Amino acid sequence: MSLKSLLAKLPFGPWRKAGPLVSVVRLTGVIGQGGPLRSGLTLAGVAPLLDRAFAPKDQKAVALIVNSPGGSPVQSALIAKRIRDLAEEKKLPVFAFCEDAAASGGYWLACAADEIWADESSIVGSIGVVSSGFGLHGLIERHGIERRLYTAGDKKVLLDPFSPEREDGVAHLKALQADVHEAFKAMVRTRRGTRLTGPEEELFSGAFWAGRRALALGLIDGLGDLRSVMRGRFGEKVRLRVVQQEGGMLRRLRLRAGYGNAPALEAGVPEAFADALAQAARTSLDEWAAWARLGR
């Protein structure tokens, strides 16, 4: 036995043989643009993390921790594609672990993995498309408010919330939703393949399920958590390297509120800060609504 092999067996020192490495990336929150206090999941924000996660040589895999009720289908598709591109380029398997929810766009992200794992109580699925809004035309009429709206193009404001609902507007929206839904279904069929065991009319209805039912339908591969599954797959000495976002919340708040930005300072820091708080409130309401659709 060589000296190098003997030294590698020692439990101390830089020459000891380290355990297998797995990089871990958290994909948490609503997908899409966020607010001043909480960033949403976008390709621009996630791409640097993914690049760092797939960078180490001789690692065994990359793990994704997914905890999202969904959001933008475009950002879901872009992030998932980047994960698949890096996995194929680096020849690495990808594992997804669902926490509270991997629903709608969150499940789209999970499908970028080669294997999907969840907790018994995780919410999984919601393979559908939703749009929501309010009809406020009756409210403004009741208060004597006159709406003045001018367009070039008769379909420019098909879904204007301050005008009565138009049949052609609803038809246009439903056609758009159908196109997005087909793209979502194609992603699930491609990534899950013959592992899907439930009927498509159930799987793609927009319904969601807890872990055990999701497993029975073939939406996930097993029930388990990151540490247990990775130790079972790569041994008890597996090293989980968590790749985190650089910079804290205060730095993001300063940047988004305009601190350190000349135009914002000219307008006045209090005004910029108030605007940031108002935007944060709107974002929090949108995020609450996204989670509320799952009963969370």
Side-chain angles (χ1 to χ4, degrees):
M1 183 178 292
S2 67
L3 177 60
K4 183 177 180 180
S5 299
L6 288 172
L7 290 174
K9 292 181 177 295
L10 295 176
F12 55 84
W15 46 73
R16 72 185 186 278
K17 185 176 181 181
L21 177 66
V22 174
S23 291
V24 181
V25 178
R26 295 193 67 92
L27 300 175
T28 302
V30 174
I31 302 168
Q33 293 296 330
L37 300 180
R38 190 165 188 171
S39 299
L41 289 172
T42 64
L43 178 61
V46 170
L49 298 180
L50 295 175
D51 288 340
R52 286 162 49 202
F54 281 90
K57 296 180 179 179
D58 302 323
Q59 67 177 332
K60 297 297 184 182
V62 169
L64 311 172
I65 299 179
V66 180
N67 194 9
S68 174
S72 166
V74 174
Q75 293 300 321
S76 302
L78 290 174
I79 295 170
K81 183 179 185 303
R82 182 62 60 89
I83 293 168
R84 291 312 314 155
D85 288 348
L86 288 168
E88 292 167 12
E89 176 186 334
K90 303 293 185 178
K91 304 293 190 294
L92 283 172
V94 179
F95 297 82
F97 294 88
C98 309
E99 291 194 332
D100 297 278
S104 195
Y107 184 66
W108 197 319
L109 298 182
C111 282
D114 300 292
E115 293 183 21
I116 304 175
W117 294 75
D119 183 81
E120 285 185 313
S121 299
S122 298
I123 295 298
V124 179
S126 190
I127 304 170
V129 183
V130 61
S131 297
S132 61
F134 297 94
L136 302 175
H137 63 284
L139 177 66
I140 64 176
E141 288 175 0
R142 189 177 307 121
H143 290 277
I145 300 172
E146 180 185 357
R147 179 90 192 284
R148 295 172 180 174
L149 183 64
Y150 311 98
T151 68
D154 65 324
K155 291 183 170 57
K156 187 64 178 177
V157 288
L158 281 177
L159 303 172
D160 176 42
F162 296 102
S163 301
E165 189 173 70
R166 292 170 48 174
E167 290 185 7
D168 58 341
V170 175
H172 181 79
L173 176 61
K174 287 186 174 294
L176 186 151
Q177 288 180 317
D179 288 342
V180 176
H181 197 195
E182 284 302 321
F184 195 172
K185 291 189 287 186
M187 169 65 170
V188 175
R189 291 189 189 106
T190 299
R191 297 299 305 154
R192 298 302 297 169
T194 57
R195 288 177 287 185
L196 294 173
T197 57
E200 288 201 348
E201 57 269 22
E202 180 179 9
L203 292 174
F204 301 145
S205 66
F208 49 86
W209 303 271
R212 286 197 178 279
R213 181 57 181 163
L215 178 60
L217 292 170
L219 294 172
I220 64 175
D221 296 286
L223 300 174
D225 63 279
L226 170 68
R227 183 172 180 271
S228 300
V229 173
M230 291 296 92
R231 291 184 73 175
R233 189 64 57 91
F234 300 112
E236 293 187 359
K237 294 185 178 180
V238 65
R239 294 175 294 147
L240 301 176
R241 167 182 171 262
V242 180
V243 181
Q244 296 180 326
Q245 191 75 260
E246 295 179 353
M249 184 186 73
L250 184 58
R251 175 176 176 272
R252 293 196 298 273
L253 175 60
R254 287 201 305 270
L255 290 175
R256 291 172 182 268
Y259 287 17
N261 180 276
L265 288 175
E266 291 174 4
V269 169
E271 290 83 355
F273 191 74
D275 180 68
L277 291 179
Q279 186 180 345
R282 291 193 298 269
T283 303
S284 297
L285 183 60
D286 290 341
E287 187 168 350
W288 171 83
W291 284 106
R293 284 197 290 268
L294 304 176
R296 296 285 177 132

